[in-house]
């Protein structure tokens, strides 16, 4: 199912303008409603379409800057949302419908999106047929059945052919189609091996993953990239005392209107003036030094002149405002406030912050232990003499590098001989020692490898076909309590499936509560090929164009064995299942790789 935001059947009408789509729908909808079918409609309109009228309150509020305007009355309400940057996708729009109060969504427009449609055709218009180019058309409704039309112009198709003027037969077709749609949706999950979307696969995996229960206390220097297991609470105020934001002179704010001030002391950072400043006095003060009691205003050095201990200020260089250039105690952080919540990954800024609060250690999650091995009789270790018909093991090394980047502890079991005994022994030991087990190779449907047999014996493993490229075969499940990933064999597929499925799982186990993969939107400079109905990951190179736009192009040939293209890429271009090929100038989603590989 590509329209992931909608559980209802969605049916479109594809036709050239002039075919009379709306006129037909106007007759069709009451006939469907009469059968008890509640209809929701989604219609595409031209660029500047506006449902509102100038002068109406809702119009004025929108023009005043409300980017979402929900207007409600006794009998209806309407939501108007401004989308100046990117038009909403069909999938997002469907997500906004009240799906509990409809049985069928009819769509007019969105011709280039992949979802089921009935093609409407009127011979008199002399337009070409759409179904030869659009595999999503489920039936054609036309008026070409009359004998006046030459048979050469009739659609040569196995699709059901309906009479566009026979509303009753259209209704009967739609009812049958809805029944088969609903039956398919209901059984989709019980098929094996299941064909899954990337999002559903990831959601199923994350459902099975529990946050680690193992924590430890570590020194500051061991904390980078670790995840906090407890909140960090400020033990002090930051800054700890009210201090000067400048090199200058501190005075009292009730003493601003004065010609000259008597300089009573110098206050350097790390020192303080022990007395209360009185009217007529000033101290010379350095940035960060505590402001003396009584004083609350600092004038910068550049405005001051000191005549034998009498200091005056040139207010033509700037008026003196009460309280200026002073940082209040606790201004950045109050004692007792939560500085970082458990689940935060520690980077340079977090580490500096903890140090500045006086912490020399913190409680973090223990590193996840990941057992790793490669399978396949053709796979041999680098450093050994090349045998004929063999390939060197690349996957264990890409996986080790990605696991290291995530801060995992690695238990490397090497290359395992493709026999039942060897795989059984390895999986049993790995499960005892590790928090997670990852293998590569041997999980494709129809693969002769023993790994599938052994996995079936040892645990509860699903062999999925994920609707993605590269990386369609994926095994996931539990060996006892230990999550197991059987990644594909192809080196690029290994990396892409790791990024999409394994990394989110590891981060969840690690307690990394706030992580979301970074995605950006870029303009493609090339056509990005993609089959409808599956998520396509193209290795890409993004950059900023001369006019400041984020642009992306592919690295070229996209075979899933071509590891070099993964090295050339700085991003993956993700084309969603409901989108056809991305054309030059289209916006595409990119997943930057720099922080992840
Ligand atoms: P499989 O999923 O086992 O059918 O493998 C798919 C492809 O990936 C085959 O061409 C394998 O030779 C290749 N392959 C499997 N394991 C590895 C590995 N560890 N390193 C590099 N290529 C591999
Ligand atoms: Mg194999």
């Amino acid at each position: 199912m590509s329209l992931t935001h909608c559980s209802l059947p969605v049916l479109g009408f594809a036709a050239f303008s002039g075919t009379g789509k709306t006129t037909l729908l106007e007759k069709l909808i009451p006939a469907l409603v009469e059968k008890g079918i509640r209809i929701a409609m989604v219609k595409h309109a031209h660029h500047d379409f506006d449902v509102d009228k100038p002068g109406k309150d809702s119009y004025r509020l929108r023009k005043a800057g409300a980017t979402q305007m929900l207007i409600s009355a006794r009998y209806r309400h309407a939501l108007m949302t401004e989308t100046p940057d990117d038009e909403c996708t069909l999938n997002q729009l469907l997500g906004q419908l009240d799906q509990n109060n409809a049985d069928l969504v009819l769509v007019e427009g969105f011709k280039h999106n992949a979802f089921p449609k009935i093609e409407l055709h009127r011979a008199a218009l002399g337009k070409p047929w759409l179904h030869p180019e659009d595999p999503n058309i489920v039936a054609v409704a036309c008026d070409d059945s009359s004998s006046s039309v030459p048979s050469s112009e009739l659609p040569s198709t196995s699709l059901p052919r309906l009479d566009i003027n026979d509303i009753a037969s259209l209704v009967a077709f739609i009812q049958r189609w809805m029944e088969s749609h609903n039956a398919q949706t209901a059984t989709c999950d019980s098929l094996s091996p299941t064909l899954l979307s990337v999002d559903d696969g990831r959601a199923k995996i994350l459902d099975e993953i529990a946050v680690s229960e193992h924590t430890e206390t570590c020194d500051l220097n061991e904390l980078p990239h670790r995840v906090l297991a407890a909140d960090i609470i400020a033990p002090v105020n930051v800054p700890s005392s009210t201090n000067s934001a400048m090199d200058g002179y501190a005075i009292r704010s009730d003493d601003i209107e004065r010609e000259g001030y008597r300089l009573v002391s110098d206050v350097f950072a790390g020192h303080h003036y022990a007395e209360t400043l009185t009217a007529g006095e000033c101290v010379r003060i350095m940035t960060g030094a505590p402001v003396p009691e009584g004083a609350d205003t600092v004038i910068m050095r550049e405005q001051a002149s000191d005549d034998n201990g009498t200091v005056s200020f040139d207010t033509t260089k700037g008026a003196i405002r009460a309280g200026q250039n002073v940082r209040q105690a606790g201004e950045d952080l109050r004692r007792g406030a939560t500085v970082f919540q458990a689940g935060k990954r520690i980077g340079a800024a977090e580490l500096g912050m903890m140090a500045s609060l006086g912490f020399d250690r913190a409680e973090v999650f223990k590193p996840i232990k990941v057992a790793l091995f490669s399978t396949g009789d053709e796979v041999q270790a680098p450093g050994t003499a090349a045998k004929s018909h063999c390939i060197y093991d690349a996957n264990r090394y890409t996986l080790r590098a990605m696991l290291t980047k995530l801060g995992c502890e690695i238990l490397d079991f090497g290359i395992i001989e493709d026999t039942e005994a060897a795989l059984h022994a390895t999986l049993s030991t790995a499960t005892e020692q590790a928090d997670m087990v990852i293998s590569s190779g041997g999980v494709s449907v129809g693969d002769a490898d023993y790994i599938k047999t052994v996995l079936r014996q040892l645990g509860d493993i699903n062999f999925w076909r994920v609707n993605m490229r590269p990386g369609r075969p994926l095994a996931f499940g539990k060996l006892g309590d230990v999550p197991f990933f059987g990644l594909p064999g192809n080196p690029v597929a290994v990396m892409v499936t790791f990024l999409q499925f394994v990394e989110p799982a590891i981060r969840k186990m690690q307690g990394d509560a706030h992580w979301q993969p970074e995605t950006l939107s870029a303009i493609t400079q090339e056509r990005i090929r993609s089959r409808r109905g599956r998520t396509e990951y193209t290795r890409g190179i993004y950059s900023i164009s001369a006019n400041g736009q984020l642009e992306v192009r592919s690295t070229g040939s996209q075979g899933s064995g071509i590891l070099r293209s993964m090295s050339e890429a700085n991003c993956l271009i993700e084309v969603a299942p409901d989108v056809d090929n991305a054309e030059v100038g289209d916006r595409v989603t990119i997943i930057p790789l720099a922080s992840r590989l």
Side-chain angles (χ1 to χ4, degrees):
M1 296 298 103
S2 55
L3 297 173
T4 49
H5 291 16
C6 188
S7 55
L8 299 175
V10 178
L11 184 61
F13 293 86
F16 284 95
S17 60
T19 314
K21 269 182 293 196
T22 308
T23 312
L24 175 75
L25 282 164
E26 230 177 353
K27 293 185 199 143
L28 188 59
I29 291 172
L32 289 165
V33 170
E34 199 181 313
K35 299 282 182 199
I37 301 170
R38 297 167 301 170
I39 303 291
M41 276 259 15
V42 180
K43 182 182 161 66
H44 196 262
H46 62 82
H47 254 57
D48 300 325
F49 168 81
D50 196 341
V51 74
D52 227 353
K53 290 201 185 73
K56 292 281 180 200
D57 286 358
S58 55
Y59 188 91
R60 290 166 57 196
L61 297 170
R62 282 169 52 215
K63 293 299 153 186
T67 54
Q68 293 185 49
M69 175 76 223
L70 183 54
I71 181 159
S72 175
R74 167 64 187 83
Y75 292 109
R76 64 193 58 86
H77 62 259
L79 174 63
M80 288 167 273
T81 307
E82 305 301 311
T83 55
D85 298 326
D86 275 311
E87 189 171 346
C88 228
T89 65
L90 177 58
N91 201 20
Q92 289 166 335
L93 292 167
L94 290 168
Q96 296 192 18
L97 293 173
D98 175 5
Q99 295 176 29
N100 293 324
N101 282 305
D103 305 299
L104 171 65
V105 183
L106 297 180
V107 178
E108 200 184 324
F110 299 94
K111 207 157 71 194
H112 299 294
N113 287 65
F115 66 100
K117 295 162 205 158
I118 295 179
E119 173 172 9
L120 306 180
H121 187 90
R122 287 193 191 274
L125 287 175
K127 296 284 189 192
W129 292 96
L130 298 169
H131 61 267
E133 297 297 323
D134 188 346
N136 299 292
I137 289 176
V138 296
V140 292
C142 56
D143 61 357
D144 308 41
S145 48
S146 64
S147 52
S148 61
V149 177
S151 61
S152 62
E153 287 178 23
L154 292 178
S156 59
T157 169
S158 57
L159 292 173
R161 183 135 67 94
L162 308 162
D163 182 344
I164 196 169
N165 297 314
D166 182 354
I167 297 296
S169 73
L170 279 169
V171 169
F173 172 82
I174 291 171
Q175 281 184 300
R176 282 197 308 277
W177 176 82
M178 282 173 71
E179 275 164 26
S180 72
H181 171 279
N182 291 338
Q184 262 175 34
T185 319
T187 56
C188 194
D189 264 356
S190 54
L191 290 176
S192 183
T194 316
L195 197 55
L196 266 185
S197 74
V198 173
D199 288 344
D200 289 349
R202 187 166 37 229
K204 278 177 191 280
I205 289 168
L206 290 178
D207 256 3
E208 295 285 319
I209 301 285
V211 177
S212 165
E213 287 165 1
H214 306 294
T215 66
E216 60 186 350
T217 301
C218 288
D219 278 359
L220 270 195
N221 288 331
E222 292 168 36
L223 291 182
H225 313 306
R226 303 289 292 273
V227 178
L228 284 171
D231 291 354
I232 298 287
I233 306 294
V236 288
N237 281 324
V238 180
S240 59
S241 61
T242 299
N243 66 75
S244 177
M246 299 250 164
D247 288 349
Y249 294 83
I251 60 166
R252 299 173 63 102
S253 60
D254 58 10
D255 191 27
I256 288 177
E257 304 291 333
R258 183 182 290 277
E259 284 296 309
Y261 299 80
R262 191 163 58 84
L263 181 62
V264 292
S265 181
D266 280 319
V267 192
F268 296 102
H271 298 268
H272 80 292
Y273 178 63
E275 281 155 67
T276 302
L277 203 74
T278 59
E281 292 178 341
C282 71
V283 293
R284 192 162 67 197
I285 192 165
M286 302 303 147
T287 306
V291 173
E293 195 141 330
D296 58 3
T297 300
V298 170
I299 302 122
M300 61 179 182
R301 194 171 51 195
E302 290 77 358
Q303 272 177 274
S305 53
D306 183 347
D307 179 13
N308 263 333
T310 301
V311 180
S312 50
F313 303 109
D314 181 356
T315 50
T316 64
K317 290 182 181 165
I320 301 167
R321 286 169 296 105
Q324 70 178 23
N325 301 329
V326 169
R327 293 190 290 230
Q328 298 299 324
E331 183 178 288
D332 294 349
L333 200 59
R334 288 245 153 253
R335 193 169 117 191
T338 304
V339 188
F340 300 123
Q341 283 179 352
K344 178 136 189 113
R345 198 173 280 268
I346 301 167
E350 291 74 25
L351 199 65
M353 187 73 204
M354 285 194 278
S356 76
L357 291 172
F359 291 105
D360 67 345
R361 63 196 61 210
E363 196 187 344
V364 289
F365 289 98
K366 280 191 174 164
I368 304 295
K369 281 190 209 146
V370 181
L372 184 65
F373 62 93
S374 297
T375 66
D377 282 342
E378 78 280 29
V379 181
Q380 67 172 105
T384 58
K387 291 184 246 166
S388 56
H389 313 300
C390 284
I391 51 162
Y392 285 118
D393 183 3
N395 295 341
R396 223 159 16 100
Y397 298 89
T398 50
L399 287 170
R400 286 188 65 128
M402 290 189 286
L403 289 166
T404 304
K405 182 123 190 172
L406 285 169
C408 296
E409 202 176 293
I410 296 165
L411 310 175
D412 191 338
F413 285 76
I415 303 162
I416 307 302
E417 193 193 345
D418 199 12
T419 64
E420 213 170 314
L423 289 165
H424 200 284
T426 305
L427 278 168
S428 308
T429 317
T431 318
E432 277 163 26
Q433 298 178 354
D435 303 313
M436 178 186 280
V437 180
I438 304 177
S439 74
S440 74
V443 293
S444 314
V445 178
D447 239 333
D449 314 47
Y450 280 112
I451 179 97
K452 284 206 288 292
T453 324
V454 178
L455 284 169
R456 286 207 172 92
Q457 290 164 6
L458 285 179
D460 187 10
I461 306 294
N462 298 296
F463 295 88
W464 288 337
R465 288 181 301 141
V466 186
N467 242 334
M468 67 189 284
R469 194 178 74 170
R472 191 159 110 127
L474 177 71
F476 172 75
K478 293 263 184 82
L479 301 167
D481 282 342
V482 181
F484 168 84
F485 285 92
L487 303 183
N490 275 310
V492 176
V494 163
M495 295 184 77
V496 173
T497 45
F498 184 94
L499 292 171
Q500 296 306 323
F501 302 108
V502 186
E503 180 175 342
I506 288 177
R507 287 188 182 265
K508 181 169 178 189
M509 281 181 103
Q510 287 175 327
D512 191 348
H514 312 292
W515 183 75
Q516 285 291 324
E518 184 189 11
T519 58
L520 299 169
S521 172
I523 306 284
T524 180
Q525 295 170 282
E526 285 172 12
R527 175 173 225 235
I528 305 294
R529 272 171 16 91
S530 169
R531 165 129 44 103
R532 290 178 195 193
R534 76 176 172 208
T535 309
E536 202 106 12
Y537 295 96
T538 301
R539 283 138 265 168
I541 300 170
Y542 74 93
S543 56
I544 294 194
S545 72
N547 56 15
Q549 280 271 22
L550 213 51
E551 292 181 340
V552 70
R553 61 190 166 84
S554 92
T555 56
S557 185
Q558 295 289 315
S560 54
I562 307 174
L563 204 48
R564 192 161 57 88
S565 67
M566 202 68 200
S567 153
E568 286 165 12
N570 63 5
C571 69
L572 294 175
I573 305 167
E574 182 182 66
V575 181
D578 60 333
V579 179
D580 209 346
N581 296 330
E583 304 295 344
V584 175
D586 282 356
R587 268 193 180 279
V588 290
T589 299
I590 61 171
I591 304 169
L593 293 175
S595 63
R596 302 182 64 187
L597 298 184

